[in-house]
Amino acid sequence: MNKPVGPLPIVGSSPVHESAALHVSGQASYTDDIAEAQGTLHAALGLSPVAHGKLLGIDLELLKQQPGVVAVLTAADIAGENNCGPLIHDDPILADGELRYLGQPVFAIIATDRELARRAAGLAKAAIRCEALEPVLTAKAAHAAGLYVLPPMHLSRGDAATALAQAPHRMQGEWAVGGQEQFYLEGQISYALPQDGQAVLIHCSTQHPSEMQQLVAHALHWQAHQVQVQCRRMGGGFGGKESQSALFACVAAIAAMRLRRPVKLRLDRDDDFLITGRRHGFDYRWDVGYDDEGHLLGAEVELISNAGHSADLSAPVMARALCHFDNAYWLPNVALHGFCARTHTQSNTAFRGFGGPQGALAVEMIIDSVARRLGLDPLVVRQRNFYSAGQDLTPYGQQVTDNIIEPLTDRLIETSRYHARRAEIAGFNAGSPVLKKGLALTPVKFGISFNVVHLNQAGALVHVYTDGSVLVNHGGTEMGQGLNTKISQVVAHELGIGLAQVRATATDTSKIANTSATAASTGTDLNGKAAQDAARKIRQRLAVLAARLLNGEADQVRFAGDRVSLGEQSLGFRELVSKAYLERIQLWSEGFYATPGLRWDRTKLQGHPFYYYAYGAAVSEVLVDTLTGESRVTRADVLHDVGQSLNPALDIGQVEGAFVQGMGWLTMEELVWHPRTGLLTTHAPSTYKIPTANDSPPDFRVALFDHPNREDSIHRSKAVGEPPLLLPFSVLLAIKDAVASGGGSGCDPRLRAPATAEAVLDALSGLQR
């Protein structure tokens, strides 16, 4: 078969992000940068002043009398379905009858100016008449009352009860980890423009244009072909724009079609915090049995997520949490129980990792406690529990056939000088009564694919123009991760041309239909394969013509260096394309890809849900001030598996970013709701702190584990978006290690997450009691 020749000059190299220059110069165009059409109106949302209550009425006259107000929309103005829930239709666009959380949109103000719209919406407390009811604000309280957004899930293997009863040692415990705000730099925004006839174009900052198309169509009581959704790029998503951009797209579209004028809805950051959900916080209860060497013999675990007021994506988030509880470890007997608690708070949703971090973190905390109670190095206990030959079947029934966790970890132990540094830290702590150091190594095994099988598909469209330039469109969305850069590299490689000749365009539902969300770390896996398929079809057509022109066989034609060759003869790619046009050869093609080999029984939680696993490990060293509770990561060594990297620079950037983002979740990003009113008190940058450049480890050593994927992924690469977010488990456990150094042998401090200064001080005070 005709093919590119030689080494991979484009795929596997590190060209800069296709929008890098635009980003740093401020010229990159986002939804709010689109020139506003004449007559554009602006929308703002009036929010519920109570966490739970009955909606008795709205003073519409008060709102309509405000300066600049053109219209006020309520649930009664929605012609179709009043729902923006992606799976279960339980999430109203605008409140109707029941108020479910403080910050829930109740009405929409449409005004001539954004500030005027916001001022009118700010009168919500005066305009909304309601009867306040007692809210349920914590997952624990909801679990105790049996309040769930969907039925509990159960995943088991072996006989956990018998294993626990017969284990030499047994440990019960409770723990909790908080949620995390996505804090995308570009907030939620949609801009709806009526089109000829009954149609609407929506520019939307979303990870899932097709879902926005469907939900808007349902709200308008239209067909999908009447709704077009475009997204050129997002200023960050992290899962927060997978499902939750729907409410804003629906409101903008409803208002635009009702008034027959363009309508833009851009949230203020405070309103974004109050309206949208985030990473699920989890509560855990466990009962674990183990032997003298630290082997986990049996475990029964409850995982309770705070789903918020509606289901959103809580079901697949919990399923992934249950399927990642094992992380890198062989667990012969487990009984896992997942509960998605219904509370009167924002509906929590996707966040980078999608439940995987919450599941894997539990077993890491368990192993750390087991090791400390046995007086062993936690790393040793981890290694003793690793998946290995003969012990390679997961609790959900998938065999781990690509296991590289041991060689990867061994290399990191060596390059990080783990054992020597542990001895050095012990010496430092012995002579330092106030400042304490801690060290921890944690591994990652992360399954790659949507855990809903039919979502693992993608389409692409490639156009070759007569001047030899190429335009590619695919169903993925660019949110800064470099997806368009990698897709362009794939297409350029297939056609044997320079990267500068390939351009990726905005995601558009009128070009690629029925796309899946850019999520689950599958953006490049799916869309890269689809784009490759399209480019190969064009290349094969061109090869037939080239063989005829150069007097040979099509399967001997080679594409490389902007030339098409057959033996010693060649012609330029552009020349061949021009001849193909004159010969009426199709110079565009669609491509499609569906991930093979997947199967999943979501009722039994059994099957083969992942195409492959990505692996990694990190060693973190921290310094803790025992007087203030403040901590600092002084060094981090990371070795991460991305298969045969498509773009090493982009992949290293993703690993670094994920590490810092996960570190923020586990050390400083604390969400606090008022215990009586249900107000999210940390709803602005002044009270919710994310890590900055100054919080990154000053000694940050990131390397890629160069090991081609065993599966036929795009050029044998592996996903890199989500898996490295689990690497900073090592930061949390290094802080725990530093705290434990003050408690003597067998000390197992109770350190909650996020490990803020207050949490560290609480753990230290527990050592003294």
Side-chain angles (χ1 to χ4, degrees):
M1 179 183 291
N2 60 83
K3 59 183 179 181
V5 296
L8 303 182
I10 298 174
V11 169
S13 64
S14 294
V16 299
H17 190 291
E18 50 95 22
S19 295
L22 299 177
H23 288 158
V24 299
S25 64
Q27 297 179 71
S29 178
Y30 296 88
T31 302
D32 199 35
D33 297 316
I34 296 170
E36 293 179 4
Q38 184 176 4
T40 293
L41 299 173
H42 296 265
L45 299 170
L47 310 182
S48 169
V50 299
H52 187 207
K54 294 180 180 179
L55 178 60
L56 303 177
I58 304 170
D59 190 344
L60 298 178
E61 289 306 313
L62 170 66
L63 300 172
K64 291 177 180 178
Q65 291 169 6
Q66 300 308 307
V69 173
V70 175
V72 181
L73 303 182
T74 67
D77 297 305
I78 300 175
E81 184 182 14
N82 182 19
N83 169 67
C84 57
L87 301 179
I88 301 174
H89 294 198
D90 64 345
D91 196 345
I93 299 167
L94 297 174
D96 186 11
E98 180 187 9
L99 299 177
R100 299 182 175 188
Y101 67 98
L102 198 158
Q104 181 182 9
V106 179
F107 59 84
I109 297 288
I110 316 299
T112 56
D113 175 86
R114 179 172 179 269
E115 188 58 33
L116 293 177
R118 291 187 62 224
R119 288 188 180 188
L123 296 173
K125 192 170 184 178
I128 294 173
R129 291 186 293 107
C130 62
E131 176 187 342
L133 301 173
E134 189 70 23
V136 176
L137 299 175
T138 68
K140 275 188 172 182
H143 182 53
L147 301 175
Y148 308 113
V149 297
L150 47 95
M153 302 180 186
H154 304 283
L155 171 58
S156 63
R157 192 255 293 280
D159 186 346
T162 299
L164 288 169
Q166 297 177 353
H169 305 281
R170 194 164 174 176
M171 175 183 72
Q172 288 90 28
E174 294 187 10
W175 195 65
V177 62
Q180 184 181 21
E181 169 63 34
Q182 290 91 355
F183 217 110
Y184 25 68
L185 291 181
E186 177 201 29
Q188 299 279 5
I189 179 171
S190 287
Y191 185 25
L193 298 98
Q195 304 294 289
D196 289 347
Q198 288 290 95
V200 64
L201 167 63
I202 304 172
H203 297 283
C204 182
S205 184
T206 180
Q207 296 172 238
H208 202 343
S210 286
E211 186 170 271
M212 300 307 103
Q213 178 189 37
Q214 292 290 340
L215 289 170
V216 167
H218 292 163
L220 293 172
H221 200 54
W222 283 1
Q223 297 182 75
H225 69 72
Q226 295 172 273
V227 181
Q228 179 184 358
V229 178
Q230 280 188 4
C231 179
R232 173 63 186 91
R233 61 170 59 85
M234 286 168 278
F238 307 115
K241 296 176 181 176
E242 181 174 344
S243 64
Q244 299 221 340
S245 46
L247 188 152
F248 316 106
C250 288
V251 169
I254 292 166
M257 298 315 301
R258 185 176 182 85
L259 300 171
R260 297 299 305 180
R261 291 174 66 178
V263 175
K264 180 188 286 189
L265 172 52
R266 175 167 65 86
L267 286 192
D268 175 81
R269 180 69 66 179
D270 292 79
D271 288 347
D272 200 327
F273 265 83
L274 290 173
I275 295 171
T276 64
R278 43 200 59 86
R279 185 188 298 281
H280 296 70
F282 269 58
D283 286 275
Y284 309 92
R285 297 172 182 167
W286 56 63
D287 189 352
V288 180
Y290 55 97
D291 63 19
D292 292 338
E293 294 186 325
H295 295 108
L296 299 185
L297 305 176
E300 183 161 12
V301 185
E302 286 187 357
L303 297 87
I304 308 162
S305 72
N306 184 348
H309 74 94
S310 69
D312 197 85
L313 295 171
S314 292
V317 165
M318 179 56 76
R320 188 168 281 265
L322 294 171
C323 289
H324 281 79
F325 174 80
D326 63 319
N327 196 19
Y329 310 113
W330 159 252
L331 305 176
N333 301 283
V334 293
L336 308 176
H337 314 287
F339 303 91
C340 300
R342 183 190 300 275
T343 61
H344 294 108
T345 61
Q346 295 83 0
S347 189
N348 288 319
T349 188
F351 194 125
R352 194 175 193 173
F354 202 78
Q358 294 99 310
L361 183 56
V363 78
E364 293 298 338
M365 297 303 295
I366 288 170
I367 284 182
D368 189 84
S369 290
V370 166
R372 295 188 184 283
R373 296 181 183 210
L374 292 173
L376 298 172
D377 184 338
L379 172 59
V380 172
V381 176
R382 287 186 168 87
Q383 291 174 306
R384 288 174 179 172
N385 283 281
F386 276 163
Y387 278 107
S388 60
Q391 296 182 331
D392 55 4
L393 192 68
T394 66
Y396 48 89
Q398 179 166 339
Q399 190 173 11
V400 183
T401 59
D402 59 3
N403 187 9
I404 56 172
I405 195 63
E406 289 193 46
L408 186 151
T409 303
D410 289 345
R411 184 186 299 181
L412 182 63
I413 290 170
E414 179 183 355
T415 58
S416 68
R417 296 180 55 253
Y418 175 86
H419 292 296
R421 287 167 62 197
R422 179 156 287 288
E424 293 165 3
I425 286 172
F428 174 89
N429 288 339
S432 178
V434 174
L435 298 179
K436 298 291 184 181
K437 289 185 177 181
L439 189 73
L441 185 154
T442 56
V444 172
K445 175 184 69 67
F446 195 93
I448 302 298
S449 290
F450 286 101
N451 53 5
V452 177
V453 172
H454 71 264
L455 296 180
N456 295 283
Q457 58 177 302
L461 185 63
V462 173
H463 290 171
V464 177
Y465 295 98
T466 54
D467 65 352
S469 64
V470 178
L471 194 70
V472 57
N473 188 270
H474 57 89
T477 52
E478 174 64 52
M479 60 192 101
Q481 80 277 43
L483 175 60
N484 283 340
T485 306
K486 288 185 173 181
I487 300 297
S488 296
Q489 287 179 262
V490 168
V491 171
H493 174 73
E494 289 303 316
L495 297 177
I497 58 179
L499 186 59
Q501 289 175 248
V502 181
R503 179 170 178 263
T505 61
T507 311
D508 190 329
T509 56
S510 68
K511 294 182 179 179
I512 307 297
N514 310 319
T515 60
S516 296
T518 303
S521 302
T522 62
T524 302
D525 280 9
L526 295 177
N527 296 288
K529 276 287 195 180
Q532 183 186 58
D533 180 46
R536 280 184 174 174
K537 290 175 181 176
I538 298 171
R539 192 186 72 209
Q540 288 161 5
R541 295 176 199 141
L542 291 174
V544 173
L545 175 60
R548 193 173 68 204
L549 294 173
L550 300 175
N551 299 314
E553 299 296 326
D555 60 1
Q556 300 300 312
V557 174
R558 299 291 182 265
F559 291 73
D562 292 315
R563 299 197 66 78
V564 182
S565 307
L566 200 161
E568 298 298 320
Q569 303 180 78
S570 71
L571 69 163
F573 181 79
R574 178 176 178 176
E575 180 184 357
L576 179 61
V577 167
S578 296
K579 291 181 181 296
Y581 174 71
L582 295 176
E583 294 283 341
R584 296 185 295 178
I585 293 172
Q586 183 178 332
L587 291 172
W588 61 269
S589 185
E590 87 294 341
F592 181 76
Y593 177 72
T595 309
L598 303 178
R599 63 183 186 279
W600 183 240
D601 186 330
R602 65 180 183 181
T603 58
K604 297 179 180 178
L605 299 184
Q606 292 291 309
H608 188 103
F610 305 122
Y611 188 34
Y612 61 83
Y613 295 98
Y615 298 87
V619 176
S620 292
E621 182 177 326
V622 303
L623 184 66
V624 172
D625 186 330
T626 60
L627 296 182
T628 66
E630 294 175 290
S631 63
R632 173 73 166 152
V633 182
T634 57
R635 175 176 165 181
D637 295 69
V638 172
L639 184 58
H640 195 71
D641 161 42
V642 297
Q644 185 168 282
S645 177
L646 293 173
N647 186 314
L650 287 179
D651 286 344
I652 288 173
Q654 284 288 290
V655 173
E656 291 173 342
F659 187 94
V660 173
Q661 188 172 51
M663 182 181 73
W665 169 45
L666 296 173
T667 62
M668 65 176 67
E669 298 183 42
E670 186 169 29
L671 294 160
V672 179
W673 282 265
H674 192 284
R676 292 189 302 277
T677 66
L679 172 68
L680 177 64
T681 59
T682 51
H683 61 81
S686 58
T687 49
Y688 184 86
K689 296 300 183 182
I690 65 172
T692 68
N694 287 335
D695 297 299
S696 297
D699 188 350
F700 200 6
R701 310 182 188 194
V702 176
L704 302 180
F705 191 72
D706 188 15
H707 188 90
N709 195 345
R710 286 185 53 176
E711 300 297 336
D712 183 25
S713 58
I714 184 69
H715 289 291
R716 303 286 174 173
S717 64
K718 287 189 178 182
V720 70
E722 294 174 307
L725 193 130
L726 283 66
L727 295 168
F729 291 178
S730 57
V731 173
L732 177 66
L733 291 169
I735 295 173
K736 184 182 177 185
D737 186 56
V739 172
S741 68
S745 178
C747 174
D748 183 24
R750 291 181 59 85
L751 177 65
R752 66 180 184 271
T756 60
E758 292 87 350
V760 170
L761 287 176
D762 285 347
L764 287 165
S765 67
L767 301 181
Q768 301 168 6
R769 290 198 293 267

